[in-house]
Amino acid sequence: AALSYCWDAALPFVTTSEEMALYRSEIRFARLPVVFREAITVARRFSIFYLWIGAVCIVHHDLADWKREFVQTPYIFAYAFVTICATAS
């Protein structure tokens, strides 16, 4: 699944390279923005175990990672089993 949502200053969550190392073992659900938690809950209810969230999956302070992953975004949404669209975030 993939999450489509509005990025803005009110949702300052982005992944850094240090956090990415931590995320490989655990992502604390309670620390995620509400829109992410709700998307995870929806995915789980449909027994979908993988959810792509750009702010989590792309290291935003690493230009090389951002460029490499950002160009994949259209394919991620095109081939996702389902896209969860948040009308407000």
Side-chain angles (χ1 to χ4, degrees):
L3 174 62
S4 176
Y5 61 100
C6 182
W7 287 48
D8 62 22
L11 191 66
F13 188 96
V14 293
T15 297
T16 64
S17 54
E18 296 82 21
E19 289 165 331
M20 184 60 80
L22 295 171
Y23 292 167
R24 288 190 175 103
S25 62
E26 176 185 25
I27 298 176
R28 294 181 187 247
F29 188 78
R31 294 186 63 212
L32 295 172
V34 173
V35 68
F36 295 0
R37 288 183 277 162
E38 290 177 348
I40 291 167
T41 300
V42 168
R44 286 178 178 169
R45 286 189 182 158
F46 287 98
S47 298
I48 297 171
F49 300 102
Y50 298 96
L51 173 63
W52 186 86
I53 302 173
V56 177
C57 298
I58 300 172
V59 180
H60 291 269
H61 300 293
D62 179 337
L63 186 57
D65 186 74
W66 189 88
K67 284 181 179 180
R68 182 177 52 255
E69 297 300 326
F70 188 75
V71 298
Q72 298 300 319
T73 303
Y75 302 104
I76 290 166
F77 284 101
Y79 294 105
F81 177 73
V82 64
T83 300
I84 300 167
C85 300
T87 57
S89 52

